Amino acid sequence: MTLISIFVTSPDTHSERRVDISLTIGQLKDKLVPITGISPQYQVLSLYPNSDFALSGSSKAIAQLSEEDRTLDEYGVKEWQCIKVDNTDPNYRPGEFTDESNLERFELTNEEYESRNDTVLSHLKANKLGRFAPTPTNLTYPPPPSTSYDPSIIPGARCEVCHGSAGSGRRGTVRYVGEASIGKGGVWVGVELDEPQAKGDGEVEGKRYFKCSPLHATFVRPDKVTVGDFPEEDLMASDDDEDEI
């Protein structure tokens, strides 16, 4: 299995996906149904150099992916190219699922919101939480962050980052380990995530620690990182799909 990152754009969606280049066009169309909402028989696939060309329409497609038995590899699909999915369904109405102009909205003025007793604001006031909490006295501060960490956490190591109290992991590659001027300082681990689940590209407050694609860089404490054999996950696969794609 050889996975590459591509963009998939359609009249109502735009997203980054990872696909196996041995996937046939027919198999790809089946995988695109839950992503684009377009049935396979109404999908017309075109390959563009990148998403900017596909969205602007300023360039002709590199190829029309019309032969369903050919693979992405045989069409020469490369990293970060874009597959545009056009919808030929005669019953399709553009903007049917994205146009919000006809939605009824419920709005309150600030005064109306503050006068209600069934809001988050009223809960915070009643329980003296948040900005309504009393000013604490005799503050105690936690010890400074530890400078010791697992020596196997080194740049280039595959890892899983613990996320939240549930402990669910996000996979990626360690790109930076060491002292960083983030938060209260101390040792931080910079990880390039496989999926765009972060906020940055390796730069924090004007200082660059490493370089990666936007939305892929995260910084965590060493105790949130587990190094091991964590292969890249296929974002096009569903939980109940046992086949390699």
Side-chain angles (χ1 to χ4, degrees):
M1 178 187 298
T2 301
L3 296 174
I4 63 171
S5 296
I6 63 169
F7 292 101
V8 175
T9 187
S10 70
D12 294 312
T13 65
H14 181 73
S15 60
E16 176 188 327
R17 299 283 165 175
R18 290 187 65 76
V19 297
D20 182 359
I21 58 175
S22 66
L23 198 67
T24 67
I25 300 304
Q27 291 170 328
L28 176 63
K29 285 185 175 182
D30 290 334
K31 298 292 184 182
L32 290 174
V33 174
I35 297 171
T36 65
I38 305 172
S39 298
Q41 67 270 28
Y42 296 123
Q43 295 179 22
V44 176
L45 308 187
S46 307
L47 180 65
Y48 286 83
N50 56 53
S51 59
D52 291 338
F53 285 107
L55 293 172
S56 65
S58 60
S59 174
K60 291 184 179 180
I62 298 174
Q64 298 296 325
L65 310 183
S66 56
E67 298 180 41
E68 299 203 355
D69 292 333
R70 291 184 65 184
T71 66
L72 294 175
D73 189 29
E74 291 172 338
Y75 270 112
V77 178
K78 296 180 175 59
E79 194 93 7
W80 302 118
Q81 289 185 335
C82 182
I83 293 179
K84 183 178 181 182
V85 186
D86 288 308
N87 190 352
T88 61
D89 185 350
N91 297 316
Y92 169 70
R93 299 191 302 273
E96 180 178 6
F97 303 109
T98 57
D99 184 6
E100 300 179 0
S101 60
N102 294 323
L103 295 178
E104 294 185 5
R105 299 180 182 275
F106 177 73
E107 297 181 350
L108 293 173
T109 65
N110 288 337
E111 292 77 14
E112 290 173 329
Y113 178 75
E114 292 175 357
S115 66
R116 297 176 66 103
N117 59 7
D118 58 352
T119 63
V120 172
L121 180 65
S122 64
H123 173 76
L124 295 177
K125 285 181 177 179
N127 294 278
K128 294 183 170 55
L129 300 174
R131 60 190 173 96
F132 304 105
T135 303
T137 58
N138 300 323
L139 293 176
T140 58
Y141 296 93
S146 173
T147 57
S148 62
Y149 57 92
D150 184 349
S152 66
I153 302 177
I154 58 175
R158 289 291 298 171
C159 68
E160 190 170 80
V161 178
C162 179
H163 178 60
S165 59
S168 57
R170 297 175 294 174
R171 294 184 179 183
T173 303
V174 176
R175 297 302 183 196
Y176 174 85
V177 183
E179 296 282 336
S181 300
I182 303 173
K184 296 181 180 180
V187 176
W188 289 83
V189 180
V191 177
E192 179 182 2
L193 298 176
D194 295 340
E195 304 178 32
Q197 296 178 322
K199 297 181 180 179
D201 63 355
E203 181 176 335
V204 180
E205 297 179 352
K207 182 174 181 179
R208 180 162 297 284
Y209 294 91
F210 63 96
K211 178 68 176 178
C212 68
S213 300
L215 306 181
H216 284 71
T218 187
F219 287 83
V220 296
R221 294 296 186 185
D223 61 354
K224 299 295 184 182
V225 176
T226 302
V227 170
D229 182 17
F230 298 108
E232 293 186 15
E233 296 179 307
D234 185 353
L235 304 189
M236 296 287 286
S238 61
D239 292 337
D240 56 355
D241 190 351
E242 296 295 333
D243 296 329
E244 291 185 353
I245 63 170

